[in-house]
Amino acid sequence: IRTPGYRCEYPGCTAPPFQTLYLLNSHMNVHSSARPYHCREAGCPRGEGGKGFKRHNELIRHGLVHESPGYVCPFCPPEIREDHKYPRPDNLQRHVRVHHVDIHQDDPRLREVLSQRPDGPSRGRSR
């Protein structure tokens, strides 16, 4: 009986089978030291000659670091807010989950901050 999907043959890898060959090939990057995707922002440590990324989608997500308005925690004391801006909404959500455990994810103050959108081209696919 053949298992559906594409299995990683790397020795010791326990990843479940992938639905497409593309996903298997993307996964294979985790077994390599190559980091072929680099940020084009001048001076970025993830730029050419720097650390880079193993996957293209990680490079795209990283772009928010340079384009984001910065998501500021509404629950931290005002004197430290400006020093703690998060480039992506999920970064702020994780911060709130870890450091403000009494705050619910649907709190209106958090929803207001998360509703910000960076200027510039839309991220993701148009539908």
Side-chain angles (χ1 to χ4, degrees):
I1 296 176
R2 184 167 189 263
T3 306
Y6 297 86
R7 186 168 293 286
C8 178
E9 300 295 330
Y10 192 86
C13 183
T14 59
F18 296 89
Q19 291 183 356
T20 66
L21 186 56
Y22 171 84
L23 291 174
L24 172 61
N25 289 334
S26 178
H27 162 77
M28 291 306 291
N29 286 328
V30 304
H31 301 301
S32 166
S33 62
R35 292 177 174 265
Y37 303 100
H38 294 93
C39 182
R40 293 185 179 155
E41 187 77 23
C44 181
R46 296 244 186 201
E48 198 69 45
K51 191 171 180 184
F53 296 92
K54 289 185 175 190
R55 295 180 177 180
H56 186 252
N57 67 310
E58 292 170 340
L59 170 62
I60 292 170
R61 186 180 67 185
H62 165 77
L64 286 174
V65 169
H66 302 296
E67 299 170 11
S68 174
Y71 296 88
V72 179
C73 179
F75 311 112
C76 283
E79 60 273 8
I80 66 167
R81 284 185 191 166
E82 286 304 309
D83 294 333
H84 291 88
K85 288 186 178 180
Y86 298 91
R88 299 191 331 254
D90 61 302
N91 297 146
L92 174 59
Q93 288 172 316
R94 182 178 53 240
H95 162 81
V96 170
R97 199 170 47 248
V98 169
H99 297 285
H100 305 286
V101 294
D102 56 324
I103 302 294
H104 191 270
Q105 66 182 8
D106 290 328
D107 185 285
R109 295 167 292 177
L110 179 59
R111 292 284 125 214
E112 182 179 343
V113 172
L114 293 173
S115 69
Q116 296 179 87
R117 295 282 181 256
D119 293 334
S122 173
R123 297 261 171 225
R125 288 183 273 190
S126 59
R127 299 191 176 174

